[in-house]
Amino acid sequence: MNMATAPKLGPVTHVVDPQELYRVITQASSQIPVEVQASSKRVKELLDYFGTFDGLHEIAANRSVPLPVRQQSIIQFKNSALNHWRSRKLLSDEHRARTRARCMTFLDEDDDTIAECNEVIVGKIARQDYPMNWPSLLADIMDVIRTNLELLCSSPNNNPRSTLVLRRSLALLNGLLKEFSGAKMLTGIKTMANVIHQLHEVMFAYYSQLATMISALVPPVLGDRRTADNLLVAHLVYKCLVKMALWLWPRLIKPDKGEFAKLEPWFLQLFQSSTGQLKILSELRIHLVIALRASGTSDNLTLLSVDRLTRHVRLFGKFFRRLQQLEPAKFVELPTGNEIVLYYWDRVVQATNGPPELIQDTPTAVFPVRFLLQAMVLFKENLARWTPFRKGGPKTETTLSQEFVEDAVRLLVTRFIPLKPADLEGWMSDPEEWVNLEDKENDQWEYELRPCGERVLMTLSSQYKDYVTPLLETTFKQTIMQPTVDLASVIQKEALYCAIGRCATRLRDVIPFTQWLQHNLLAEARETNPNYPIIKRRIAWLMGKWINDMCTPANDPNIWELLIHLLRDRGPGTDSVVRLTAATALRECIDTLDFDFDVFAPYLPAAITELVKLMGEADTMEVKQRLAKSLNVVIERSGPRVTPHAQMIAKSIPQLWTPAGEEWLFKGQLLVVVASLVSATKESLNSLIVPLVQESLSPGVAINLDEDALNLWLTAVRNSSSLNSASGPGLIELVPLAISLLSNNLDLLGKIVSIMESYLFVDAPAVLQGFSFALMNAFVKALTGQAILTNQRDILACLQFLTQLAPAALWGEAMHVAGLFSHVVNLLNAEEGSQNLLTECIYLLARIALADRQMFLQLILATSQTTNVPEAKTWETVLDHWWRQFDHMSEPRYRKLAALGIASLVSTGRPEVLDRLPTEIFNLWTDVFFEVKESRKLAEDEEAAALTLHWDLDQVPQSYYAESEDTLEFDRRKMFLNNDPVRTIQLTDYVAAALQEAERTCGGVHIFNQYINQADPILLKQVQDELRGKQT
């Protein structure tokens, strides 16, 4: 190996030793685990050496090297080098040039693994290097394709080496087109456009030539290697055409096609020829497979040829479907587009009219399931564009006759929607898994015939309701009158019930649901025929669909009678699938706008009992989770009336929780159930909640359950009237956990602050008596850490509540010792800070001053001593920002709070405060007085006995209640708000009292007047006028 000189970048650049690299890669490809393990670390180290990537690629290209070593080398190159292709530290320009040249030597590679890796490598490198650094790439590949394709088409003999090169080069080209078509930047788009301009005509010509060859196949030649090769080559050429066409299609349907307009004729030619070719190949394939079945031929080459032909036919369907997905409205306007979709549907009809064994999920079936699914999906998506009743938009020339639509509906209801023997086998062998798969049909309908047939029926009923509704109505009336005893009639009735449920919104006006329920469904639900679980399961499903789609309000007792019977019946004629489906249907019926609890009330005990029982009986966690969701909806919609059953539900939780192990989704749902139970009943379930929260937020578990656990915790605190419990653990025991999370978990900080705030509203003195110092330390750690601004504001708001909900003796010292008060002062000192955050700081200081002015003075003094800052300087910081932030307070209640807080400080007689009295403080007060005065004039005749807050006539912002509606906390917050000094104290009275107190405190009227007399006479008169008996 030739190694280029290492670049001089950075302090040290290691150059790989080719011999060591080969030795390590050989060990890495060994079948001996010890050698592989020993080499893995060194391989990673060598990948950071200069020359390693070039060395790996050279090893892979050397045919004399053992195959496992070559495979290991190219895999390592693919996984590592492509992300560092531009790195000058690991690769030189010479390395890159050699690598690009070597890539072309893999075109005759026998090993598929190496060849496929090379396709990826070429694509990724070309995306970066073509055309600037690799200008000959496309021409080189096309030369190889042309040469070998000519040989394939002209030579009567099979040339394996030439065919291999052709296969590899076409696969390489396909990979290039895939890579180029994914580019989003303008340069990449131009590159793809340039590639298409070079390739579109020649590739179309190649496929046309190959199409002639494969369209004339007869059964005897299917066993020839040449036939299999021709089919594969044609398939690869067409894949390249499809990638170019799909890239063009969105650009051709734009009003401004630009430079792509000249490619539109080619696109239309390709599409039309594709629709024609699909018909030819599809018919050819059907006849070939039938002939082979008749002859019994099954040699490997024949099966390979059939498989490749099947894949090729399916590629056409993928092409059409993708065009349809990208722009459905334009797809129906394509010439022969509607024709080909109808052709596909004709094949569906043809398949269902033949023996059932013609339809199988194998490439050698006459009608493979995947082909029929393509046909049905294409047909379904086009239906919306074919309806004769379409409102707005251009009418398409293709509309379906009534006879066509009715035949399609009959076919779907009788052939596609009925359960097949395989469905029944799955039902019997694993009921729970069968239910799980059935519930997933909403996501998987494009991949299974039965759910796909249901979706086609739904679309037909929506687009051709004038045809479909009468037909289903007539069929319904005929069927319900007929006896249903044997399995065949049971399966057919189940299919009809499925059709009715799928088309419920179209049939609600013609199906007499109440009478049907009363006279037929209830009786069928009690039938003991061993075949009837099939119908009973569908009846339960139908109830859920009909009610949930709001076709009938859930106010008929017979609905609940039927569902509860199916839910708890364990006699003959039923099974677990029926019960599980009934549980889901119960949820769907309850979770509706028209749900009437009074009608459901008699059935509530049975519903809860059976759901809890089923959860205990279920084997799979997925089913348990679904049942828990149903139970949760029952609890939520029942509200307080579920209270008598709360203890029974609560006792079942530990029995379900412990065996669940690491089934986090189910455990999360159990936490949701407990939270709903607490919200509904307001009962204390602390003996259950405390251990659940502790375990859910423990290390290793919290990452999976933290959100649900925090919601449960918050719900429990908000609905609790006490933090202690007479028996068992109380919520107070979780406070240390909350403090720990407050200190150490930034991700959960917002929720934890909310929980702590709720704790304070329940019993702030109890929390602070036990944890004041730890709590303040946690607040400081959160504030001084990397908490986002929103969380910092939430913490300051929480502290404001704390100062009002507990006496200062419980929080004052802790606030100082933890450094919280000094941190607030430091925030005010910061050169740059959020105005919103600084304003919250002033709100907190105002609350402290309003709660206990002496504590405020002590905190100022202690902070000055701790920080070695003169006390006067600390006062200056606080008072400066008090005045500055006043302009950032928009709501009257906050402005009044600032005025009350500063009045409380004035009453202390501190000279630092009184010095500002004649200027800043008088101005602040008069601003608030003016706002209040302006409002007061609106209601001069009202009685003055109670304080009327004309400045706060609107409701408090909803954010104040913090989403606590329908909890005990909401009432606590409301009462707290009504007792807030800002709402109960008249500002003018409070200011007047504060001034009198200051006069006494500072040494008498003579000294006090020295401050007052410094005020502007006009300003002083304004203050005096307001204080002379005028209300706030």
Side-chain angles (χ1 to χ4, degrees):
M1 297 180 209
N2 296 319
M3 289 295 169
T5 304
K8 296 180 180 179
L9 293 176
V12 179
T13 302
H14 296 287
V15 179
V16 73
D17 177 4
Q19 283 74 31
E20 183 192 10
L21 178 63
Y22 182 82
R23 184 175 62 255
V24 171
I25 291 297
T26 302
Q27 289 179 335
S29 60
S30 169
Q31 298 299 312
I32 303 172
V34 177
E35 289 189 5
V36 175
Q37 187 175 1
S39 64
S40 60
K41 182 180 178 182
R42 186 54 180 163
V43 169
K44 290 180 182 178
E45 292 173 354
L46 291 177
L47 290 175
D48 291 327
Y49 281 34
F50 178 78
T52 295
F53 296 143
D54 181 55
L56 286 171
H57 202 256
E58 187 169 344
I59 293 171
N62 189 341
R63 306 293 172 94
S64 64
V65 171
L67 181 60
V69 179
R70 295 179 63 219
Q71 290 175 333
Q72 181 68 220
S73 294
I74 201 163
I75 289 170
Q76 291 287 352
F77 183 92
K78 175 179 70 74
N79 293 343
S80 305
L82 300 178
N83 293 328
H84 301 90
W85 182 246
R86 297 280 177 86
S87 170
R88 290 183 294 169
K89 177 183 176 184
L90 302 175
L91 286 155
S92 67
D93 289 341
E94 184 184 348
H95 289 160
R96 283 183 276 268
R98 286 208 300 258
T99 301
R100 288 191 291 263
R102 275 194 300 262
C103 284
M104 302 305 291
T105 66
F106 290 100
L107 291 181
D108 62 345
E109 175 60 53
D110 291 314
D111 183 66
D112 287 340
T113 299
I114 294 176
E116 288 166 7
C117 286
N118 186 57
E119 291 166 20
V120 174
I121 290 166
V122 171
K124 298 295 184 184
I125 293 176
R127 187 159 179 174
Q128 300 181 63
D129 286 7
Y130 180 83
M132 295 301 293
N133 297 319
W134 203 351
S136 65
L137 171 63
L138 204 57
D140 291 343
I141 295 174
M142 292 308 295
D143 283 344
V144 175
I145 292 173
R146 184 186 69 257
T147 302
N148 290 281
L149 187 60
E150 288 175 355
L151 186 61
L152 179 73
C153 296
S154 61
S155 174
N157 301 317
N158 183 42
N159 186 329
R161 181 57 54 181
S162 173
T163 304
L164 175 65
V165 173
L166 182 58
R167 267 198 309 128
R168 298 292 190 217
S169 55
L170 284 169
L172 194 63
L173 180 62
N174 183 59
L176 277 176
L177 291 170
K178 180 180 179 180
E179 195 66 38
F180 289 154
S181 64
K184 304 299 181 186
M185 303 298 287
L186 183 60
T187 304
I189 292 172
K190 287 182 177 179
T191 299
M192 183 63 179
N194 179 51
V195 169
I196 292 177
H197 278 291
Q198 294 181 59
L199 299 184
H200 69 284
E201 290 183 348
V202 65
M203 294 302 290
F204 185 80
Y206 288 161
Y207 184 74
S208 300
Q209 187 176 5
L210 290 162
T212 305
M213 298 167 61
I214 64 174
S215 301
L217 293 176
V218 291
V221 302
L222 288 176
D224 294 344
R225 165 58 66 178
R226 184 181 179 85
T227 299
D229 290 342
N230 288 349
L231 285 166
L232 179 56
V233 170
H235 184 69
L236 291 171
V237 171
Y238 191 69
K239 284 182 76 172
C240 295
L241 287 170
V242 166
K243 284 187 171 55
M244 290 189 283
L246 289 176
W247 188 85
L248 276 175
W249 172 237
R251 292 160 177 84
L252 292 177
I253 57 179
K254 290 180 180 179
D256 180 17
K257 300 179 178 64
E259 62 176 306
F260 302 111
K262 55 189 174 184
L263 289 170
E264 186 170 14
W266 173 84
F267 174 86
L268 295 175
Q269 182 187 15
L270 173 65
F271 180 79
Q272 288 179 273
S273 65
S274 295
T275 59
Q277 181 71 0
L278 180 275
K279 293 179 186 178
I280 294 170
L281 292 178
S282 175
E283 295 300 319
L284 174 66
R285 188 195 166 283
I286 291 170
H287 291 119
L288 287 173
V289 173
I290 292 174
L292 290 174
R293 288 190 168 211
S295 66
T297 306
S298 60
D299 63 277
N300 289 338
L301 265 178
T302 299
L303 295 177
L304 178 63
S305 295
V306 172
D307 179 63
R308 287 179 175 177
L309 178 58
T310 302
R311 290 172 182 271
H312 191 48
V313 168
R314 200 161 65 239
L315 179 58
F316 285 87
K318 290 181 179 179
F319 177 41
F320 300 147
R321 174 61 178 144
R322 187 59 187 149
L323 291 174
Q324 187 185 57
Q325 285 177 316
L326 290 171
E327 188 53 63
K330 295 293 184 181
F331 179 76
V332 296
E333 297 175 10
L334 285 171
T336 69
N338 293 325
E339 181 185 334
I340 196 61
V341 173
L342 288 173
Y343 169 81
Y344 268 110
W345 181 254
D346 286 343
R347 300 292 71 71
V348 173
V349 175
Q350 181 185 356
T352 52
N353 287 336
E357 60 268 17
L358 297 183
I359 303 174
Q360 294 176 357
D361 192 13
T362 64
T364 55
V366 178
F367 296 102
V369 167
R370 295 185 190 182
F371 174 78
L372 295 179
L373 284 168
Q374 282 184 338
M376 294 170 74
V377 172
L378 284 165
F379 180 70
K380 172 190 174 295
E381 295 300 322
N382 259 31
L383 280 175
R385 307 290 162 181
W386 290 345
T387 174
F389 313 110
R390 190 176 170 209
K391 294 181 181 179
K395 295 288 181 65
T396 177
E397 295 180 2
T398 305
T399 56
L400 305 181
S401 67
Q402 182 173 352
E403 180 184 4
F404 183 101
V405 173
E406 289 179 349
D407 287 344
V409 171
R410 291 190 190 97
L411 181 145
L412 291 166
V413 174
T414 59
R415 298 301 302 272
F416 282 102
I417 294 179
L419 294 169
K420 303 295 186 294
D423 295 316
L424 299 179
E425 289 173 13
W427 179 328
M428 297 303 295
S429 64
D430 193 345
E432 290 190 14
E433 180 61 21
W434 194 84
V435 171
N436 290 336
L437 292 174
E438 284 293 297
D439 281 354
K440 290 176 182 175
E441 282 183 357
N442 287 332
D443 302 324
Q444 303 294 323
W445 68 267
E446 288 192 47
Y447 308 103
E448 296 287 342
L449 282 176
R450 184 159 52 88
C452 187
E454 293 173 14
R455 297 324 186 277
V456 175
L457 176 64
M458 291 165 64
T459 307
L460 279 169
S461 73
S462 174
Q463 303 300 331
Y464 288 85
K465 57 185 177 183
D466 290 359
Y467 300 159
V468 177
T469 300
L471 176 62
L472 288 178
E473 179 188 6
T474 303
T475 308
F476 166 76
K477 290 177 180 177
Q478 293 171 348
T479 304
I480 62 170
M481 302 304 295
Q482 297 173 356
T484 310
V485 181
D486 63 319
L487 180 60
S489 60
V490 164
I491 287 176
Q492 199 54 60
K493 178 176 276 191
E494 189 270 348
L496 176 63
Y497 284 8
C498 174
I500 291 171
R502 290 297 184 192
C503 306
T505 55
R506 304 294 172 183
L507 297 173
R508 60 186 173 192
D509 296 328
V510 298
I511 299 283
F513 181 78
T514 303
Q515 292 88 337
W516 182 30
L517 172 61
Q518 184 176 354
H519 298 128
N520 300 91
L521 297 180
L522 277 171
E524 290 174 341
R526 292 188 170 89
E527 178 61 56
T528 57
N529 185 316
N531 293 324
Y532 259 63
I534 295 171
I535 288 185
K536 290 181 181 181
R537 173 252 170 190
R538 184 57 75 182
I539 289 173
W541 173 89
L542 177 63
M543 287 294 103
K545 286 292 294 179
W546 196 273
I547 303 303
N548 198 254
D549 287 348
M550 303 182 71
C551 299
T552 299
N555 55 13
D556 186 342
N558 284 329
I559 294 171
W560 309 118
E561 182 73 31
L562 183 148
L563 287 175
I564 296 301
H565 172 75
L566 294 178
L567 191 64
R568 66 183 173 188
D569 182 22
R570 282 170 166 75
T574 189
D575 64 9
S576 60
V577 170
V578 176
R579 291 188 287 274
L580 295 175
T581 307
T584 300
L586 185 72
R587 180 184 78 232
E588 291 174 338
C589 291
I590 292 175
D591 197 15
T592 57
L593 293 174
D594 296 328
F595 174 67
D596 186 344
F597 180 82
D598 293 332
V599 177
F600 176 70
Y603 305 95
L604 176 63
I608 291 176
T609 301
E610 293 303 322
L611 288 173
V612 171
K613 187 176 181 181
L614 282 173
M615 272 198 288
E617 294 173 348
D619 294 324
T620 66
M621 289 299 163
E622 196 168 352
V623 167
K624 288 178 184 284
Q625 185 181 352
R626 191 176 296 114
L627 291 166
K629 286 181 180 178
S630 295
L631 178 60
N632 187 60
V633 170
V634 171
I635 294 170
E636 286 181 338
R637 299 310 301 270
S638 300
R641 285 167 286 194
V642 80
T643 303
H645 313 285
Q647 290 303 319
M648 187 266 286
I649 297 171
K651 287 179 182 177
S652 71
I653 300 298
Q655 300 165 13
L656 295 166
W657 179 273
T658 305
E662 296 184 356
E663 296 290 342
W664 307 121
L665 292 177
F666 176 56
K667 283 190 163 183
Q669 189 60 50
L670 288 179
L671 294 174
V672 172
V673 168
V674 178
S676 297
L677 192 61
V678 172
S679 294
T681 64
K682 308 295 187 287
E683 282 205 358
S684 173
L685 301 174
N686 295 343
S687 59
L688 172 64
I689 292 168
V690 171
L692 280 180
V693 171
Q694 288 173 332
E695 181 179 338
S696 299
L697 293 174
S698 62
V701 179
I703 192 172
N704 301 291
L705 298 177
D706 54 6
E707 184 175 351
D708 292 321
L710 291 174
N711 285 334
L712 170 59
W713 191 358
L714 181 61
T715 301
V717 178
R718 284 183 165 176
N719 288 285
S720 179
S721 55
S722 172
L723 298 180
N724 295 297
S725 177
S727 59
L731 291 173
I732 194 75
E733 295 185 23
L734 291 175
V735 173
L737 176 58
I739 291 173
S740 173
L741 293 172
L742 195 63
S743 301
N744 303 311
N745 198 317
L746 283 174
D747 295 333
L748 306 180
L749 188 56
K751 200 77 171 187
I752 292 297
V753 172
S754 298
I755 290 171
M756 188 52 65
E757 194 170 286
S758 295
Y759 265 103
L760 296 175
F761 273 105
V762 178
D763 194 345
V767 173
L768 292 173
Q769 283 169 2
F771 310 99
S772 60
F773 287 91
L775 179 60
M776 292 299 174
N777 280 318
F779 278 139
V780 171
K781 191 169 181 181
L783 286 170
T784 56
Q786 296 179 342
I788 61 173
L789 181 61
T790 301
N791 289 340
Q792 292 186 56
R793 291 179 61 189
D794 290 343
I795 291 172
L796 292 172
C798 180
L799 286 165
Q800 293 169 44
F801 289 129
L802 181 148
T803 60
Q804 300 169 78
L805 290 164
L810 292 178
W811 48 261
E813 183 184 0
M815 192 174 281
H816 166 65
V817 172
L820 196 150
F821 191 87
S822 63
H823 176 69
V824 172
V825 174
N826 287 337
L827 285 176
L828 297 177
N829 266 324
E831 288 293 327
E832 294 183 6
S834 164
Q835 295 302 322
N836 289 333
L837 187 64
L838 296 179
T839 305
E840 290 290 344
C841 290
I842 299 303
Y843 296 157
L844 175 59
L845 295 177
R847 286 294 183 187
I848 295 172
L850 202 53
D852 191 322
R853 65 195 69 168
Q854 292 305 317
M855 180 60 71
F856 191 98
L857 298 181
Q858 291 177 39
L859 287 169
I860 289 284
L861 175 61
T863 297
S864 300
Q865 293 171 345
T866 303
T867 57
N868 292 321
V869 174
E871 188 177 0
K873 186 67 176 175
T874 304
W875 275 109
E876 181 183 344
T877 299
V878 170
L879 296 173
D880 279 350
H881 279 278
W882 206 299
W883 173 243
R884 287 179 198 165
Q885 300 310 127
F886 181 69
D887 286 339
H888 295 282
M889 302 175 189
S890 57
E891 294 183 44
R893 61 191 178 116
Y894 288 130
R895 292 167 74 84
K896 182 176 177 181
L897 171 62
L900 288 169
I902 203 70
S904 179
L905 296 182
V906 166
S907 69
T908 64
R910 290 289 306 193
E912 296 89 349
V913 180
L914 295 182
D915 281 341
R916 297 173 184 248
L917 181 63
T919 52
E920 296 171 7
I921 296 175
F922 275 178
N923 276 306
L924 187 153
W925 282 342
T926 53
D927 277 357
V928 180
F929 290 155
F930 182 74
E931 291 171 18
V932 174
K933 178 180 180 182
E934 204 172 45
S935 299
R936 185 172 63 247
K937 292 180 180 178
L938 300 175
E940 290 178 349
D941 298 332
E942 292 187 16
E943 295 182 6
L947 185 61
T948 304
L949 305 175
H950 299 290
W951 52 267
D952 199 19
L953 295 177
D954 295 330
Q955 291 292 323
V956 71
Q958 203 63 27
S959 59
Y960 167 78
Y961 292 105
E963 300 179 353
S964 63
E965 291 80 358
D966 299 321
T967 69
L968 299 181
E969 183 176 310
F970 182 82
D971 297 328
R972 290 193 282 264
R973 284 179 179 265
K974 195 170 184 180
M975 183 183 300
F976 176 81
L977 180 67
N978 291 333
N979 293 324
D980 187 350
V982 175
R983 299 177 66 85
T984 59
I985 294 175
Q986 188 169 355
L987 180 58
T988 50
D989 289 350
Y990 193 82
V991 169
L995 290 172
Q996 291 172 6
E997 179 70 19
E999 183 179 306
R1000 291 192 297 272
T1001 308
C1002 74
V1005 64
H1006 177 71
I1007 296 176
F1008 186 67
N1009 283 340
Q1010 291 178 10
Y1011 295 106
I1012 295 293
N1013 292 336
Q1014 296 177 37
D1016 180 271
I1018 298 175
L1019 179 61
L1020 180 60
K1021 186 176 185 304
Q1022 288 177 341
V1023 174
Q1024 290 170 339
D1025 287 345
E1026 291 294 336
L1027 298 182
R1028 287 195 184 102
K1030 295 188 178 183
Q1031 291 183 348
T1032 301

